[in-house]
Amino acid sequence: MPAGPSNAARAPFVLLVVLLLGGGLITLLLLNSALNEGSFRLSELKKRTTDLTDEQQALQRDVDSSAEPDALARRARELGMVPGGSPVFLGPDGTVRGVPSTATAEPTPTPPQETTAPPQATTSPTASSGPPGPTPSGSTTGTAAAQPSTPAAGPAADAAGPATPTTPADQPSTSPGR
């Protein structure tokens, strides 16, 4: 009985099955590695998303606390703003609706940031380094240092300039050459 030809016909089939099984196992290992890598990447992205969401919520809380009415009012006072009166509207034909008035509230003084000597109100006119400047009352003095650090609100202040707090450091220099 010839046993050789039947065994010889089985060898390529067995080799083909072994190669298919080996290739399938290698493919499964590569696929599993790719899925694990994707899983690690996904967990890193979820953690980053959580961190960014926490940061966004903290920033939103900061914005919300800054937008509260009392915080806005406090910041406006720090900037020297005063509450306005009743609003006045202009009609399409140019008529004024309401009674215009100036802001009459005095801004609350803020504590000084630096300890400096207060400006002297009485100086000689010869110490003037430039032309006399107007004061809130409309008169002129010899120096710009005699002007108050916060202008008076009212009709006289409107004639002198805007109702914003000024300090001698904020005022432009009147010296020639600067």
Side-chain angles (χ1 to χ4, degrees):
M1 302 186 135
S6 68
N7 284 341
R10 279 191 197 164
F13 177 73
V14 170
L15 185 62
L16 179 67
V17 169
V18 169
L19 285 176
L20 286 175
L21 287 175
L25 285 176
I26 290 174
T27 304
L28 281 174
L29 285 174
L30 291 175
L31 184 61
N32 192 19
S33 296
L35 287 175
N36 282 339
E37 183 180 337
S39 174
F40 287 131
R41 177 89 171 125
L42 181 64
S43 65
E44 288 174 6
L45 290 175
K46 282 184 179 180
K47 184 180 182 310
R48 182 162 163 76
T49 300
T50 302
D51 292 343
L52 290 174
T53 301
D54 291 344
E55 182 180 350
Q56 186 261 345
Q57 289 174 350
L59 292 172
Q60 187 63 44
R61 277 193 306 271
D62 291 345
V63 167
D64 291 342
S65 66
S66 296
E68 291 175 351
D70 59 339
L72 289 175
R74 180 177 26 83
R75 182 71 178 130
R77 279 191 310 275
E78 289 172 0
L79 293 173
M81 297 176 144
V82 295
S86 301
V88 177
F89 301 99
L90 288 176
D93 57 349
T95 59
V96 177
R97 295 185 180 170
V99 178
S101 63
T102 59
T104 57
E106 289 286 328
T108 57
T110 57
Q113 298 296 329
E114 298 179 15
T115 55
T116 59
Q120 297 182 4
T122 56
T123 57
S124 65
T126 58
S128 173
S129 60
T135 61
S137 63
S139 64
T140 59
T141 59
T143 64
Q147 293 179 352
S149 62
T150 56
D158 289 338
T164 58
T166 58
T167 60
D170 293 339
Q171 295 175 350
S173 173
T174 58
S175 301
R178 282 195 188 182

